[in-house]
Short mmCIF file of all heavy atoms in Angstrom, two decimals:
data_model
loop_
_atom_site.label_atom_id
_atom_site.label_comp_id
_atom_site.label_asym_id
_atom_site.label_seq_id
_atom_site.Cartn_x
_atom_site.Cartn_y
_atom_site.Cartn_z
N ALA A 781 -59.25 26.92 35.79
CA ALA A 781 -60.17 26.48 34.67
C ALA A 781 -59.37 25.72 33.54
O ALA A 781 -58.23 25.95 33.35
CB ALA A 781 -60.84 27.71 34.09
N SER A 782 -60.22 24.81 32.90
CA SER A 782 -59.56 24.11 31.73
C SER A 782 -60.65 23.67 30.85
O SER A 782 -61.74 23.32 31.29
CB SER A 782 -58.77 22.91 32.24
OG SER A 782 -58.23 22.11 31.15
N THR A 783 -60.35 23.61 29.55
CA THR A 783 -61.29 23.08 28.60
C THR A 783 -61.29 21.49 28.64
O THR A 783 -62.16 20.90 28.04
CB THR A 783 -60.94 23.47 27.15
OG1 THR A 783 -59.53 23.12 26.93
CG2 THR A 783 -61.13 25.04 27.04
N GLU A 784 -60.39 20.93 29.35
CA GLU A 784 -60.22 19.49 29.35
C GLU A 784 -60.81 18.85 30.66
O GLU A 784 -60.10 18.27 31.42
CB GLU A 784 -58.68 19.11 29.25
CG GLU A 784 -57.96 19.81 28.15
CD GLU A 784 -58.54 19.49 26.71
OE1 GLU A 784 -58.73 18.31 26.49
OE2 GLU A 784 -58.81 20.46 26.03
N GLY A 785 -62.03 19.06 30.83
CA GLY A 785 -62.73 18.53 32.06
C GLY A 785 -63.02 17.06 31.86
O GLY A 785 -62.87 16.45 30.77
N GLY A 786 -63.49 16.41 32.96
CA GLY A 786 -63.85 15.07 32.92
C GLY A 786 -62.97 14.20 33.77
O GLY A 786 -62.19 14.61 34.63
N MET A 787 -63.00 12.91 33.55
CA MET A 787 -62.35 11.92 34.40
C MET A 787 -60.84 12.01 34.32
O MET A 787 -60.17 11.43 35.20
CB MET A 787 -62.87 10.52 34.11
CG MET A 787 -64.35 10.24 34.50
SD MET A 787 -64.78 8.53 34.50
CE MET A 787 -64.53 8.06 32.75
N ASP A 788 -60.25 12.57 33.31
CA ASP A 788 -58.86 12.51 33.07
C ASP A 788 -58.14 13.81 33.44
O ASP A 788 -57.03 14.09 32.99
CB ASP A 788 -58.47 12.11 31.59
CG ASP A 788 -58.95 10.73 31.27
OD1 ASP A 788 -58.80 9.82 32.14
OD2 ASP A 788 -59.46 10.54 30.21
N ILE A 789 -58.71 14.65 34.36
CA ILE A 789 -58.17 16.01 34.69
C ILE A 789 -56.83 15.76 35.32
O ILE A 789 -55.93 16.68 35.12
CB ILE A 789 -59.13 16.76 35.52
CG1 ILE A 789 -58.66 18.21 35.69
CG2 ILE A 789 -59.34 16.04 36.89
CD1 ILE A 789 -58.50 19.00 34.41
N GLU A 790 -56.59 14.78 36.15
CA GLU A 790 -55.30 14.58 36.75
C GLU A 790 -54.15 14.37 35.62
O GLU A 790 -53.08 14.92 35.78
CB GLU A 790 -55.26 13.37 37.70
CG GLU A 790 -56.07 13.61 38.99
CD GLU A 790 -57.57 13.31 38.83
OE1 GLU A 790 -57.95 12.92 37.68
OE2 GLU A 790 -58.31 13.47 39.78
N ALA A 791 -54.53 13.58 34.67
CA ALA A 791 -53.59 13.40 33.53
C ALA A 791 -53.30 14.70 32.84
O ALA A 791 -52.10 14.98 32.43
CB ALA A 791 -54.07 12.31 32.60
N VAL A 792 -54.31 15.56 32.65
CA VAL A 792 -54.18 16.81 32.01
C VAL A 792 -53.19 17.66 32.77
O VAL A 792 -52.22 18.28 32.25
CB VAL A 792 -55.47 17.54 31.84
CG1 VAL A 792 -55.33 18.95 31.30
CG2 VAL A 792 -56.45 16.73 30.87
N ALA A 793 -53.38 17.70 34.07
CA ALA A 793 -52.48 18.48 34.99
C ALA A 793 -51.05 18.00 34.91
O ALA A 793 -50.14 18.86 34.92
CB ALA A 793 -53.00 18.43 36.38
N HIS A 794 -50.87 16.77 34.74
CA HIS A 794 -49.59 16.16 34.76
C HIS A 794 -48.88 16.32 33.33
O HIS A 794 -47.70 16.75 33.26
CB HIS A 794 -49.58 14.70 35.07
CG HIS A 794 -48.24 14.08 35.08
ND1 HIS A 794 -47.66 13.41 33.99
CD2 HIS A 794 -47.27 13.94 36.15
CE1 HIS A 794 -46.49 12.94 34.30
NE2 HIS A 794 -46.29 13.20 35.65
N ASP A 795 -49.66 16.01 32.34
CA ASP A 795 -49.07 15.92 30.93
C ASP A 795 -49.09 17.29 30.14
O ASP A 795 -48.16 17.53 29.43
CB ASP A 795 -49.75 14.82 30.12
CG ASP A 795 -49.63 13.48 30.79
OD1 ASP A 795 -48.63 13.23 31.44
OD2 ASP A 795 -50.51 12.65 30.54
N THR A 796 -50.17 18.04 30.38
CA THR A 796 -50.33 19.29 29.58
C THR A 796 -50.76 20.41 30.57
O THR A 796 -51.94 20.86 30.38
CB THR A 796 -51.34 19.09 28.48
OG1 THR A 796 -52.56 18.59 29.03
CG2 THR A 796 -50.75 18.14 27.39
N PRO A 797 -49.97 20.83 31.46
CA PRO A 797 -50.38 21.81 32.49
C PRO A 797 -50.71 23.12 31.87
O PRO A 797 -51.43 23.98 32.43
CB PRO A 797 -49.13 21.93 33.41
CG PRO A 797 -48.05 21.40 32.60
CD PRO A 797 -48.62 20.32 31.78
N GLU A 798 -50.19 23.44 30.60
CA GLU A 798 -50.51 24.62 29.96
C GLU A 798 -51.99 24.78 29.60
O GLU A 798 -52.46 25.86 29.31
CB GLU A 798 -49.70 24.78 28.67
CG GLU A 798 -49.96 23.86 27.55
CD GLU A 798 -49.33 22.43 27.69
OE1 GLU A 798 -48.67 22.22 28.67
OE2 GLU A 798 -49.49 21.60 26.72
N LYS A 799 -52.75 23.69 29.63
CA LYS A 799 -54.14 23.71 29.39
C LYS A 799 -54.98 24.07 30.58
O LYS A 799 -56.19 24.10 30.47
CB LYS A 799 -54.56 22.32 28.84
CG LYS A 799 -54.04 21.98 27.43
CD LYS A 799 -54.55 20.67 26.94
CE LYS A 799 -54.01 20.39 25.53
NZ LYS A 799 -54.54 19.15 24.97
N ILE A 800 -54.33 24.34 31.71
CA ILE A 800 -55.01 24.68 32.91
C ILE A 800 -54.59 26.18 33.26
O ILE A 800 -53.40 26.45 33.39
CB ILE A 800 -54.71 23.82 34.02
CG1 ILE A 800 -55.18 22.39 33.76
CG2 ILE A 800 -55.32 24.26 35.44
CD1 ILE A 800 -54.74 21.32 34.75
N ILE A 801 -55.53 27.07 33.45
CA ILE A 801 -55.27 28.48 33.70
C ILE A 801 -55.71 28.79 35.15
O ILE A 801 -56.70 28.23 35.61
CB ILE A 801 -55.80 29.49 32.72
CG1 ILE A 801 -57.34 29.54 32.87
CG2 ILE A 801 -55.39 29.09 31.34
CD1 ILE A 801 -57.75 30.78 33.47
N THR A 802 -55.03 29.66 35.88
CA THR A 802 -55.41 30.16 37.21
C THR A 802 -55.63 31.66 37.12
O THR A 802 -54.83 32.42 36.60
CB THR A 802 -54.27 29.79 38.16
OG1 THR A 802 -54.11 28.41 38.15
CG2 THR A 802 -54.66 30.23 39.55
N LEU A 803 -56.78 32.09 37.66
CA LEU A 803 -57.12 33.48 37.70
C LEU A 803 -57.40 33.89 39.21
O LEU A 803 -58.44 33.44 39.72
CB LEU A 803 -58.29 33.70 36.85
CG LEU A 803 -58.86 35.14 36.81
CD1 LEU A 803 -57.84 36.09 36.11
CD2 LEU A 803 -60.23 35.30 36.11
N SER A 804 -56.58 34.64 39.82
CA SER A 804 -56.77 35.18 41.13
C SER A 804 -57.78 36.37 41.11
O SER A 804 -57.73 37.16 40.16
CB SER A 804 -55.52 35.65 41.80
OG SER A 804 -54.70 34.51 42.04
N ILE A 805 -58.62 36.43 42.15
CA ILE A 805 -59.70 37.48 42.20
C ILE A 805 -59.33 38.52 43.27
O ILE A 805 -59.00 38.14 44.43
CB ILE A 805 -61.03 36.84 42.47
CG1 ILE A 805 -61.40 35.77 41.42
CG2 ILE A 805 -62.09 37.92 42.57
CD1 ILE A 805 -61.46 36.32 40.03
N ASP A 806 -59.41 39.72 42.94
CA ASP A 806 -59.17 40.88 43.85
C ASP A 806 -60.33 40.86 44.79
O ASP A 806 -61.47 40.96 44.50
CB ASP A 806 -59.13 42.15 43.08
CG ASP A 806 -58.80 43.33 44.01
OD1 ASP A 806 -58.97 43.23 45.25
OD2 ASP A 806 -58.32 44.39 43.48
N PRO A 807 -60.02 40.66 46.16
CA PRO A 807 -61.07 40.52 47.08
C PRO A 807 -61.93 41.90 47.24
O PRO A 807 -63.17 41.83 47.65
CB PRO A 807 -60.44 40.23 48.39
CG PRO A 807 -59.00 40.67 48.21
CD PRO A 807 -58.71 40.47 46.76
N GLU A 808 -61.33 42.98 46.93
CA GLU A 808 -62.04 44.26 47.02
C GLU A 808 -62.96 44.48 45.83
O GLU A 808 -64.04 44.97 45.96
CB GLU A 808 -61.04 45.43 47.13
CG GLU A 808 -60.30 45.49 48.45
CD GLU A 808 -59.44 46.76 48.52
OE1 GLU A 808 -59.38 47.53 47.53
OE2 GLU A 808 -58.82 47.01 49.60
N ALA A 809 -62.54 43.98 44.69
CA ALA A 809 -63.35 44.15 43.50
C ALA A 809 -64.31 43.05 43.20
O ALA A 809 -65.39 43.22 42.64
CB ALA A 809 -62.49 44.30 42.27
N GLY A 810 -63.95 41.87 43.72
CA GLY A 810 -64.81 40.66 43.45
C GLY A 810 -64.54 40.29 41.99
O GLY A 810 -63.58 40.68 41.24
N VAL A 811 -65.48 39.47 41.42
CA VAL A 811 -65.36 38.98 40.01
C VAL A 811 -65.89 40.13 39.10
O VAL A 811 -66.98 40.51 39.12
CB VAL A 811 -66.20 37.76 39.80
CG1 VAL A 811 -66.10 37.31 38.30
CG2 VAL A 811 -65.68 36.62 40.69
N THR A 812 -64.93 40.71 38.40
CA THR A 812 -65.21 41.83 37.50
C THR A 812 -65.57 41.35 36.08
O THR A 812 -65.42 40.21 35.74
CB THR A 812 -63.99 42.75 37.38
OG1 THR A 812 -62.87 42.00 36.68
CG2 THR A 812 -63.45 43.18 38.74
N PRO A 813 -66.23 42.26 35.29
CA PRO A 813 -66.44 41.82 33.90
C PRO A 813 -65.17 41.26 33.11
O PRO A 813 -65.30 40.46 32.30
CB PRO A 813 -66.99 43.19 33.23
CG PRO A 813 -67.66 43.86 34.38
CD PRO A 813 -66.81 43.55 35.61
N ALA A 814 -64.04 41.95 33.50
CA ALA A 814 -62.80 41.49 32.87
C ALA A 814 -62.50 40.09 33.27
O ALA A 814 -62.03 39.25 32.49
CB ALA A 814 -61.63 42.49 33.26
N ASP A 815 -62.78 39.70 34.50
CA ASP A 815 -62.54 38.34 35.01
C ASP A 815 -63.52 37.37 34.32
O ASP A 815 -63.05 36.25 33.93
CB ASP A 815 -62.75 38.24 36.57
CG ASP A 815 -61.73 39.00 37.35
OD1 ASP A 815 -60.60 39.16 36.91
OD2 ASP A 815 -62.10 39.56 38.43
N VAL A 816 -64.79 37.82 34.15
CA VAL A 816 -65.72 36.97 33.48
C VAL A 816 -65.20 36.67 32.03
O VAL A 816 -65.27 35.59 31.54
CB VAL A 816 -67.10 37.53 33.50
CG1 VAL A 816 -68.04 36.82 32.56
CG2 VAL A 816 -67.67 37.63 34.85
N ALA A 817 -64.79 37.76 31.34
CA ALA A 817 -64.37 37.68 29.97
C ALA A 817 -63.11 36.70 29.90
O ALA A 817 -63.00 35.87 28.96
CB ALA A 817 -63.90 39.03 29.42
N ALA A 818 -62.24 36.78 30.89
CA ALA A 818 -61.04 35.93 30.94
C ALA A 818 -61.40 34.42 31.07
O ALA A 818 -60.86 33.58 30.44
CB ALA A 818 -60.11 36.38 32.01
#
């Protein structure tokens, strides 16, 4: 996920990777309220 969506996402990934976050989901729990909040 990133707040910097649109046509320049590749540039965001290259220049400001800190603006992109990754959240792995526990397959047993699925998407929890904590995941939604994150």
Side-chain angles (χ1 to χ4, degrees):
S782 176
T783 55
E784 310 300 310
M787 292 195 295
D788 295 319
I789 188 62
E790 289 85 359
V792 174
H794 182 269
D795 299 333
T796 53
E798 68 276 4
K799 292 184 178 180
I800 299 176
I801 70 106
T802 301
L803 177 68
S804 290
I805 303 300
D806 183 340
E808 291 187 353
V811 178
T812 65
D815 294 329
V816 171

